[in-house]
């Protein structure tokens, strides 16, 4: 049974309900997670509030020493953590190793915060100075999804804590195991008790977080449906909130794009992490004569084999949902060029695999063209010109990412200027900005202001204290 982590110790939850945790790789039962109650959350908030005065008054250069040590622990235990990520999430071991690498990069960024968070001071009139400094908020919460059991929590943990806050994190009830190890490593790195707390559970505990008067700020990453609920509920309680939602990312492919490189990027983007990335390519808009590139995409997709270089999707329900999208598109006249339905991995018959799927001749109004599929599926829509391609991208209510593949600088610039998405790629299939640049979409991919990572995260995790000082000189 998975425990909560409160005040530096693993403690049982008072929950009456529990949920099984199964491995998508083979369907085996890994553990059980208890659905914590508001009383469990309250214990965590009290522990965090008690730790806050000491931690927030610790100089930032001292606070980040914990994260220098933590980074070396992530390096020491990287393989073990990656194995855990793969087992509970279903992604391949290589993908899980890359995910831990990203956690290390995010932790490195947090160690640079003392250089970035310096305030301002100015003598505004003779003998009078104004100072502005970033001070922590207090107890903050982070609610995370299943698709990156390690990386998404590291979008928030190192920065929020290094900036002096105390945190309560709510792991996804589908993948709570990795964060158990993270809690133990943070303690080993010397993080004082109560600064980092973890409460497991499902929607009930999320609602309790949004309602709790002792929590100042809530960050959320997950689907747009839940992001809206969390944003509304948390801000209704006057909390600061940044809620990242789902996505429908378009790759615009022009006829002059380099065929091999483009095909590799399209297929890697749609099939990496079994398509369960908010940055995954889900629709490709082919502009004009792109048959030669689609042929290459089909070739590349056939190299992706479930159980070898393609992981499992999170659950049987997810597999059914993804296969429904494919079948519906086919019934509506689209052409399935590579079909990932009914994928089986020998010896892992209870695993939940969907093979790579390429669907051509998709019409813009079809569900497979407009909705987030969250599986290794690319829907290809054909248009005559770049204006029509951009119109499809910009008609999406989401706005996480968009990429263009071309050798024309002018066409690339046109897309860079006009695409309504927070993260744009040029000849890049997964345009995730790396630190110190920040991660964050637009429109229904994000509710609230600012970005969750990089330098802009300072704005979210701190508030400005302005002090006016007057001392007469001797
Ligand atoms: P989800 O929205 O189902 O769950 C996210 C979190 O919300 C979990 O901790 C879950 O316990 C909780 N939750 C679920 N239903 C709830 C409810 N009704 N009320 C309150 N809380 C609830 O998302 P998921 O399936 O875990 O993750 C996949 C989604 O996350 C995809 O839509 C993906 O695009 C999105 N995502 C977005 C980003 C981004 O940066 N924009 C990053 C990663 C994932």
């Amino acid at each position: 049974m998975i425990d909560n982590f409160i005040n530096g110790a693993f403690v049982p939850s008072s929950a009456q309900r529990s949920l099984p945790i199964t491995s998508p790789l083979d369907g085996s039962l890994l553990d059980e997670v208890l659905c914590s109650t508001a009383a469990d959350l309250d214990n965590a908030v009290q522990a965090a509030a008690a730790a806050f005065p000491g931690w927030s008054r610790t100089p930032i250069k001292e606070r980040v020493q914990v994260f220098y040590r933590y980074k070396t622990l992530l390096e020491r235990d990287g393989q073990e953590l990656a194995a855990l990520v793969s087992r509970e999430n279903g992604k391949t071991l290589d993908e899980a190793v890359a995910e831990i690498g990203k956690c290390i990069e995010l932790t490195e960024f947090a160690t640079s915060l003392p250089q970035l968070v310096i305030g301002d001071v100015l003598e505004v009139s003779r003998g009078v100075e104004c100072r502005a400094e970033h001070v922590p908020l207090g107890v903050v919460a982070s609610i995370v999804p299943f698709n990156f059991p390690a990386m998404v929590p590291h979008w928030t943990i190192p920065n929020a804590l290094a900036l002096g806050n105390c945190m309560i994190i709510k792991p996804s009830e589908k993948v709570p195991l990795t964060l158990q190890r993270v809690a133990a490593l943070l303690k080993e790195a010397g993080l004082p008790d109560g600064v980092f707390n973890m409460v497991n559970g499902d929607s009930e505990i999320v609602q309790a977080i949004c309602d709790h008067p002792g929590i100042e700020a809530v960050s959320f990453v997950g689907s747009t449906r839940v992001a809206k609920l969390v944003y509304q509920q948390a801000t209704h309680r006057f909390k600061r909130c940044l809620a990242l939602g789902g996505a429908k990312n378009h790759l615009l492919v022009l006829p002059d794009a380099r065929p091999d490189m483009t095909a590799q990027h399209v297929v890697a983007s749609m099939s990496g992490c079994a398509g369960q990335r908010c940055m995954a390519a889900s629709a490709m808009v082919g502009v004009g004569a792109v048959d030669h590139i689609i042929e290459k995409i089909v070739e590349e997709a056939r190299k992706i084999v479930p159980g070898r270089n393609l992981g499992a999707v999170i659950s049987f329900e997810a597999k059914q949902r993804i296969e429904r999208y494919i079948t519906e598109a086919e019934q509506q006249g689209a052409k399935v060029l590579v079909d990932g339905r009914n994928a089986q991995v020998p010896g892992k018959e209870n695993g939940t695999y969907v093979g790579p799927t390429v669907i051509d001749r998709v019409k813009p109004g079809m569900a497979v063209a407009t909705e987030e599929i969250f599986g290794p599926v690319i829907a290809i829509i054909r248009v005559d010109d770049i204006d029509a391609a951009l119109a499809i991208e910009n008609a999406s209510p989401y706005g996480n990412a968009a990429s263009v593949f071309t050798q024309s600088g002018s066409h690339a610039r046109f897309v860079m200027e006009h695409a309504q998405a927070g993260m744009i790629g040029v000849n890049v299939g997964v345009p995730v900005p790396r630190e110190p640049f920040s991660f964050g979409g637009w429109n229904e991919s994000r509710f609230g202001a600012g970005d969750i990572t990089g330098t802009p995260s300072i704005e979210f995790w701190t508030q400005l204290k302005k002090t006016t000082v007057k001392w007469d000189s001797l």
Side-chain angles (χ1 to χ4, degrees):
M1 200 67 82
I2 302 290
D3 284 335
N4 291 332
F5 185 78
I6 297 176
N7 207 18
F10 287 100
V11 292
S13 152
S14 66
Q16 304 294 319
R17 290 187 297 125
S18 68
L19 295 166
I21 308 159
T22 49
S23 175
L25 295 173
D26 57 10
S28 58
L29 183 68
L30 297 178
D31 212 320
E32 234 176 288
V33 64
L34 286 160
C35 300
S36 301
T37 63
D40 297 315
L41 175 69
D42 199 47
N43 289 338
V45 175
Q46 282 183 33
F52 181 67
W55 181 243
S56 57
R57 275 192 231 117
T58 304
I60 187 167
K61 276 165 119 22
E62 217 176 290
R63 288 196 300 253
V64 299
Q65 296 309 313
V66 173
F67 290 97
Y68 281 109
R69 291 192 291 271
Y70 176 67
K71 177 190 172 246
T72 65
L73 298 179
L74 284 177
E75 286 163 348
R76 184 194 71 188
D77 292 356
Q79 284 298 329
E80 181 200 335
L81 280 161
L84 201 51
V85 166
S86 171
R87 203 155 52 240
E88 67 173 341
N89 169 275
K91 64 183 64 177
T92 67
L93 192 58
D94 285 350
E95 289 167 344
V97 167
E99 179 170 347
I100 301 303
K102 189 64 203 176
C103 297
I104 292 169
E105 186 177 7
L106 288 156
T107 304
E108 277 168 2
F109 175 76
T111 63
S112 72
L113 281 166
Q115 277 62 255
L116 299 172
V117 79
I118 43 178
D120 291 316
V121 58
L122 183 72
E123 187 177 40
V124 290
S125 59
R126 204 169 293 268
V128 178
E129 73 181 30
C130 280
R131 305 153 50 106
E133 57 196 310
H134 291 273
V135 300
L137 301 175
V139 179
V140 300
S142 173
I143 302 161
V144 290
F146 80 79
N147 62 328
F148 284 95
M151 182 190 76
V152 171
H154 283 79
W155 283 356
T156 60
I157 299 168
N159 290 352
L161 302 192
L163 289 165
N165 299 287
C166 293
M167 174 179 277
I168 291 148
I169 197 159
K170 206 296 281 176
S172 164
E173 65 278 23
K174 295 177 182 131
V175 294
L177 299 173
T178 303
L179 277 177
Q180 297 270 307
R181 285 293 299 139
V182 165
L185 292 181
L186 285 168
K187 187 168 169 90
E188 190 181 341
L191 192 70
D193 292 349
V195 174
F196 174 81
N197 306 275
M198 184 165 62
V199 179
N200 284 289
D202 57 6
S203 57
E204 186 184 330
I205 204 73
V206 171
Q207 280 156 21
I209 287 172
C210 294
D211 280 343
H212 200 293
I215 295 175
E216 303 297 330
V218 176
S219 85
F220 172 90
V221 182
S223 62
T224 289
R225 183 182 65 82
V226 183
K228 283 181 180 171
L229 292 174
V230 166
Y231 186 77
Q232 279 174 332
Q233 203 177 339
T235 55
H236 181 70
R237 296 283 179 185
F238 307 112
K239 296 184 198 311
R240 188 179 285 200
C241 184
L242 182 56
L244 303 192
K248 182 78 184 175
N249 305 313
H250 296 78
L251 303 183
L252 278 48
V253 175
L254 274 60
D256 69 343
R258 293 219 168 100
D260 289 327
M261 179 274 285
T262 303
Q264 282 158 14
H265 275 256
V266 170
V267 171
S269 181
M270 68 94 158
S271 67
C273 298
Q276 298 176 123
R277 289 189 287 197
C278 66
M279 294 296 279
S282 183
M284 173 187 136
V285 190
V287 181
V290 292
D291 284 328
H292 61 297
I293 299 174
I294 293 174
E295 271 166 32
K296 294 271 180 199
I297 289 173
V298 168
E299 254 173 55
E300 283 297 321
R302 291 200 199 284
K303 295 180 192 164
I304 306 291
V305 181
R308 198 164 76 209
N309 52 3
L310 178 65
V313 298
I314 189 68
S315 63
F316 185 63
E317 294 73 39
K319 175 177 161 74
Q320 281 184 317
R321 186 198 68 239
I322 297 160
E323 294 190 346
R324 244 192 335 267
Y325 275 113
I326 304 167
T327 303
E328 192 186 291
E330 190 177 44
Q331 286 165 350
Q332 292 171 345
K335 213 161 164 236
V336 181
L337 302 180
V338 182
D339 190 350
R341 286 171 290 185
N342 307 313
Q344 285 277 335
V345 174
K348 295 185 175 172
E349 282 71 21
N350 292 325
T352 43
Y353 295 88
V354 179
T357 300
V358 180
I359 314 177
D360 196 7
R361 307 282 170 194
V362 169
K363 297 285 172 242
M366 292 180 185
V368 78
T370 57
E371 294 176 16
E372 181 172 41
I373 301 170
F374 230 50
V377 178
I378 190 93
I380 303 177
I381 307 163
R382 311 246 195 163
V383 297
D384 292 333
D385 56 49
I386 195 158
D387 291 310
L390 200 62
I392 288 174
E393 148 61 22
N394 288 347
S396 171
Y398 299 106
N400 227 33
S403 287
V404 60
F405 287 82
T406 181
Q407 291 192 69
S408 151
S410 313
H411 283 101
R413 175 127 231 126
F414 180 74
V415 174
M416 287 161 65
E417 280 174 6
H418 297 287
Q420 292 296 308
M423 293 169 280
I424 308 295
V426 176
N427 297 322
V428 172
V430 184
V432 174
R434 292 183 63 170
E435 280 54 38
F437 294 94
S438 59
F439 187 97
W442 289 1
N443 307 331
E444 296 215 340
S445 294
R446 181 199 55 179
F447 303 90
D451 280 350
I452 192 94
T453 65
T455 314
S457 71
I458 296 169
E459 297 306 321
F460 185 71
W461 295 120
T462 63
Q463 52 196 338
L464 269 187
K465 177 171 273 187
K466 287 76 62 182
T467 309
T468 304
V469 184
K470 182 173 183 302
W471 284 111
D472 294 327
S473 180
L474 290 177

